[in-house]
Each structure stands twice: as structure tokens, then as C-alpha cells.
Amino acid sequence: MTLSISVDEALDPGLTSFLKTARSVVVLTGAGVSAESGVPTFRDAQQGFWARHDPMQLATPDGFARDPGLVWDWYQWRRKLIAETSPNAGHRAIAELAGQLPGLVVITQNVDGFHQLAGSRHVLELHGNIQRSICSRTRRDIPASWLDAHPDRSPVPSPHHPQGLARPDVVWFGESLDEKLLGAAFAAAQACDLVIVAGTSGVVHPAASIPAVAVEHGARMIEVNPVQTELSRLADWRLVGPSATWLPRLVESLSK
Ligand code: OAD
């Protein structure tokens, strides 16, 4: 049974007491937690990236092979957008929760690095990080100083391979996630007693399987999202509303 709570309602005392006794917590986040920082989500019908751009063109190896300049420019634009914004109260609340619930693991699909900027230490970035670049041929890191030395090139050649190009260190559709990271994420999901799922539509796997694995292994689940998602049916509690409102309320409830 799922209990839905809206922002103008009080938190369920059952949720608060469970949170206080949780020993091992996983927080899975998606683009919605950065929405209130001003970074668009992917699937919002009007403002979402995939409402305005074709993911097959911008977020696949084939799209990059067809037009690497277009893909590079789009990621440069997103990098700049992210650099001009900052973490919000939701990111900060997750870092504070970790202070009170040691061992909390953040598993994020976001590539903006906001969890670390907000102070979270144990973060598994399943889809990479947009601020890092790698060689398209060798996958070796390309330092920012190399990119800065080629300000007018798009795409930027790689220093590591004559046919290589700089590309963002993110996971594109059709690519595999880092096995070690994914293994650590699923191990954390299997071992946790609470999974908090915030700001994700829960449609991109394998990340979207993490809550089900946690629940199958006996964890309870809190979902934070203004709307119902593919994952809502797994939740014990649905906190209906924005994460920058709900996550700080969860932190506050620990001290009451
Ligand atoms: P989506 O755009 O699919 O979903 C964002 C979710 O955030 C939706 O369920 C919204 O209702 C919710 N949301 C919006 N505003 C919110 C707020 N203020 N507080 C809380 N929730 C809010 O984004 P993801 O689920 O992250 O992958 O998408 C998963 C992956 O698909 C991304 O990592 C990306 C994308 O294609 C790759 O690029 C590989």
C-alpha cells in the first residue's frame, strides 16, 4: 500500500520513525532534483531536452559519428548552463541526511556533479560527468587545459589518437555503464533498508531497476516527485511535490 502525501500535509509519523531507525540508506536521483537549479529535465513535455532535441542525434555513438561538431556544441552549451547554476536545497538536504545517516549512498543518473558540490561524498555517477572529457577512440581522459587550448575547434581533436575526438565522459544510449559502478550500485540496493527515489521518471534501465532490487531485498521506499512515475507502485510513501521542498523536510523530521 502506498501512502501519498502532498506538500501542505504533515509527514506521516510512521515515515519519520522509520527514517530515524534506518541503518542503510540509498538515494537514487534523476534530472528532477536539478530542475529547481534551472537545469531542464529530459522528458518534461515542454521544457525537457528530449522534447526539443532528438536523443538519437545527440546522445548516441552513431549521432556523434555522424555529426561530432553538433554533439560537441550541444554538450558545451549544457556544460555552460550547468556551470552557471548551482546545487539547490534538495542536493544540500541529501548531503545533510548523509551526515545523520552514515553509510548513505547517493546513486545518480545526473551528470552535473551537483551532489558532490553540495557536499555529498559517497556518490555513484552512473551516467558519467559532463565536466570531464575523454578520447572517443581510447577513452583516456582529456584535461580541460587541452580543450582551453583549442577554443575555436568543434569537434576538438584528441591528444591521444590521430583519429580520436574529444567527447563528454557520459554514457550515451547504446553504451554500457561502468561495471564496477553498477556493481556497487546494485550491492548498495540489495543491502539497504530504505531507498529514497527522487526526481526520476524511472524509465531508463539499468538505473530504473535499482528501486525494485532494493524493495525485493526488503527495503522500504520513499518516492519524491510531483507526478506519478513507473516506480510509484513500489513506494511505501509518495511525497508529492518538488525535491527542494521535500528533501529538507525529511532532514528536519530527523531532529524532531
Ligand atoms: P526525466 O526527465 O526522465 O524525469 C525527470 C523526473 O523528474 C520526472 O518524473 C519529473 O516529474 C520529475 N521532476 C520534475 N521536477 C521535479 C522537482 N522539482 N522535484 C522532483 N522531481 C521533479 O529524467 P531522468 O529520470 O533523470 O540519460 O532520466 C533518466 C535518463 O534519461 C537521464 O540520465 C538521461 C536521460 O536520457 C542519458 O542521457 C543516458
Side-chain angles (χ1 to χ4, degrees), residues 178-193:
D178 181 286
E179 268 181 36
K180 258 195 182 161
L181 275 180
L182 198 58
F186 278 106
Q190 288 179 16
C192 74
D193 46 22

Side-chain angles (χ1 to χ4, degrees), residues 135-138 156-166:
C135 169
S136 61
R137 289 293 179 110
T138 64
V156 181
S158 164
H160 303 305
H161 191 285
Q163 274 89 50
L165 296 171

Side-chain angles (χ1 to χ4, degrees), residues 90-110:
H91 299 101
R92 289 191 292 277
I94 292 170
E96 282 175 46
L97 268 183
Q100 309 205 33
L101 304 165
L104 180 145
V105 180
V106 181
I107 304 174
T108 189
Q109 299 165 87
N110 299 344

Side-chain angles (χ1 to χ4, degrees), residues 4 47 53 74 76 94-95 100 108 118 122 127 147 149 151 153 158 165 168 207 237 240 251:
S4 293
Q47 297 301 318
H53 305 282
W74 188 64
Q76 286 293 76
I94 292 170
Q100 309 205 33
T108 189
H122 197 169
H127 292 168
L147 305 177
R153 297 289 297 273
S158 164
L165 296 171
W237 297 277
V240 183
V251 176

Side-chain angles (χ1 to χ4, degrees), residues 29-36 40-44 48-50 55 59 75 78 108-111 127 170-173 198-204 207 223-229 241-244:
T29 64
V33 296
S34 296
E36 288 158 278
T41 63
F42 291 94
R43 294 179 180 77
D44 178 85
F49 286 129
W50 299 156
Y75 278 92
R78 276 181 64 199
T108 189
Q109 299 165 87
N110 299 344
V111 296
H127 292 168
V170 299
V171 178
W172 283 331
F173 291 107
T200 181
S201 55
V203 295
V204 175
E223 182 179 56
V224 182
N225 202 306
V227 303
Q228 243 181 334
T229 73
S243 49

Side-chain angles (χ1 to χ4, degrees), residues 67 93 126 206 231:
D67 195 343
L126 288 186
L231 304 173

